[in-house]
Amino acid sequence: MTSTAPDSPAHLDPRLGKLERHIQALMQELHQARYEQRREALTDALTGVGNRTALVNAFQEAQVAAARGAPQPALLLLNLDGFNALKKSAGHAAADQVLVTVAMRVRSAVRENDVVTRLGGDEFAVLLPATPQARATAVGNRILAALEPNIDLGNNTVRCGASMGLRIAEPHHTVEDLLQEADFAVDESKSEGRNKLKVFDPATLHARQLQRQIVGELREAIRSEQLVLFFQPIVELATGKIEGCEALVRWDHPVHGLIMPDHFIPVAEATGLIAELGRWVLRTAVRQLRHWRDNPATAQHTFSMRINVSAADLQSLEFVDDVSEALAEESLPPESLVLELTESAIIQNNELDRYTLASLHRLGVGLEIDDFGAGYSSMGYLRKLPVDRVKVDRQFVKDLGKDPSQLSFLAAIQEVIRSCGLEGIWEGIESAEQAEALRSIGCTSGQGYYFGKPLPEADFTEQLSRQQTWPA
Ligand code: C2E
Ligand code: CA
Ligand code: CA
């Protein structure tokens, strides 16, 4: 009898087959595990959409495609509105539930090959491969619409809109560039209200950067005395004598030279720096008036100083004290200072403004409406406010002499001002003819290049000492 040796191939065959199958199964498991691991590495654990790494991968793939001629990808970045407040009020578990719902809604609003990711917190990004702006905008609006309905949290419901920025990638972009620019668009969208999509605009970014630079420098400029006041005469039309002046601020910039107020006042107002700037103007102008009163060549006790006051000043609780302290420090009577307020500053007309105006009036400083007629010009408020002067906007004087009916129109304005018991100051007088025409209709005071442009302190002091008058 022949027997097969235990190590013969025939004998080994069944064992080999079993081992092979075992190895195959192991390989498959390993493969699956690697796949799972890879998937996990690309997934946001909470919501199941992609994570930052998924976004980076998708962006790199889209860039390879774009290099081969495909259109650039678009990035939609979303930031949920009021999410932190919601987390505080509803708790972490509810906040997580909101994030999961948002992720699902975003996912359902886009195509299969669009990559939805959560970058952390309440920030989601969607990469749309090869997508031009018009289509990306439509997708963005579809996502915002999908977020509109209330989210049911079991015991209550919440609404969770989003601010969204859109940026189409450029060939030179890294994923960080793309995110940063989309994020800038998100900020712009937030400042415009909720549930809006904003497309990145390089010009707006540039303007914001410039504004930031100006803010940084302006803060320093106020402290290091780079601001200067120029003075422009205000003339009594009947006598042709200077009766006062307006202080107009300029920024003597070490690099850019003299910067006019229209370039930095709006920035100061938008950033809150106006309060500090306003205090500087107040103190400097009042100190200057003291110098002129002390100087025998310029001493004139009825001569008054006008300064421009912004809406923010009226909103400040300290403003009235600042004014009375500044006057007291220089031993000046309150009527030597006149505050010019624009209609738009006054028309806000809230409690605090009314209180501040009344307190200033009680203090005895002059109150004047500036640029009268340039804005809303509701005649009704003229009688109600505690103001005693009106400075008529220069647009009215501009057409004087060109259009014969203009003078009777100005006469009507002057009559309204007079019948309200107010004094009118006419701005923008550029010729002797204009000055004469205004005098002929009963206007009492004027200001403009005809009498003098705004001048630096030394030149204005010189003009004052000459005691120049203009023919009446
Ligand atoms: P505003 O208060 O209406 O000042 C009058 C502006 O008209 C001044 O421009 C002045 O130079 C200009 N002007 C005067 N006469 C004439 C004229 O005959 N013809 C023409 N075409 N223009 C004339 P400026 O100095 O550039 O000031 C612009 C604005 O900046 C001011 O308008 C005022 O709103 C604001 N501003 C100036 N200084 C200050 C300040 O210290 N504080 C605040 N809050 N605003 C200021
Ligand atoms: Ca003014
Ligand atoms: Ca004015």
Side-chain angles (χ1 to χ4, degrees), residues 267-383:
V267 175
E269 281 176 341
T271 54
L273 273 179
I274 192 75
E276 206 175 326
L277 186 147
R279 264 193 301 273
W280 181 87
V281 170
L282 169 68
R283 298 206 168 257
T284 311
V286 166
R287 200 177 317 131
Q288 185 57 54
L289 185 60
R290 179 77 267 160
H291 287 322
W292 284 327
R293 290 208 171 174
D294 289 343
N295 178 350
T298 54
Q300 202 205 106
H301 290 283
T302 52
F303 180 87
S304 60
M305 174 69 76
R306 282 168 168 76
I307 61 170
N308 292 282
V309 169
S310 78
D313 290 322
L314 289 187
Q315 288 290 310
S316 152
L317 289 168
E318 292 101 54
F319 185 63
V320 181
D321 287 342
D322 286 346
V323 170
S324 77
E325 275 167 29
L327 287 167
E329 248 167 55
E330 302 298 342
S331 314
L332 284 166
E335 64 274 12
S336 61
L337 182 68
V338 178
L339 306 177
E340 296 193 357
L341 307 133
T342 57
E343 285 176 280
S344 52
I346 293 181
I347 219 118
Q348 295 182 353
N349 211 8
N350 58 33
E351 282 295 318
L352 189 58
D353 287 355
R354 273 199 296 270
Y355 174 78
T356 308
L357 281 180
S359 309
L360 289 167
H361 186 63
R362 234 175 295 126
L363 183 66
V365 294
L367 295 176
E368 177 173 298
I369 296 174
D370 199 359
D371 302 343
F372 179 71
Y376 318 81
S377 282
S378 138
M379 294 292 175
Y381 79 85
L382 267 191
R383 298 172 68 110

Side-chain angles (χ1 to χ4, degrees), residues 12 19 44 63 76 112 164 215 271 273 319 331 355 362 454:
L12 277 179
L19 193 64
D44 173 50
Q63 266 195 324
L76 289 164
E112 190 59 37
M164 186 184 280
V215 173
T271 54
L273 273 179
F319 185 63
S331 314
Y355 174 78
R362 234 175 295 126

Side-chain angles (χ1 to χ4, degrees), residues 44 46-50 76-83 86 93-110 116-126 140 142-153 158-164 195:
D44 173 50
L46 175 68
T47 61
V49 297
L76 289 164
L77 192 64
L78 285 86
N79 199 287
L80 302 187
D81 293 330
F83 184 73
L86 178 120
D96 283 354
Q97 208 176 326
V98 167
L99 291 174
V100 172
T101 310
V102 167
M104 264 165 32
R105 289 184 179 180
V106 174
R107 183 67 266 173
S108 66
V110 301
V116 179
T117 61
R118 185 168 79 107
L119 304 180
D122 60 334
E123 194 173 47
F124 291 84
V126 185
R142 210 161 57 220
I143 294 174
L144 289 177
L147 297 181
E148 283 277 329
N150 284 350
I151 298 176
D152 190 1
L153 293 176
V158 291
R159 270 198 75 193
C160 204
S163 298
M164 186 184 280
N195 240 26

Side-chain angles (χ1 to χ4, degrees), residues 397-415:
V397 175
K398 209 172 70 194
D399 297 329
L400 200 53
K402 291 183 202 149
D403 177 356
S405 67
Q406 184 71 0
L407 190 61
S408 45
F409 177 50
L410 298 198
I413 298 178
Q414 169 62 26
E415 185 46 31

Side-chain angles (χ1 to χ4, degrees), residues 29 56 145 240 337 377 433 450:
E29 247 173 65
V56 173
L337 182 68
S377 282
E433 292 73 32
Y450 169 60

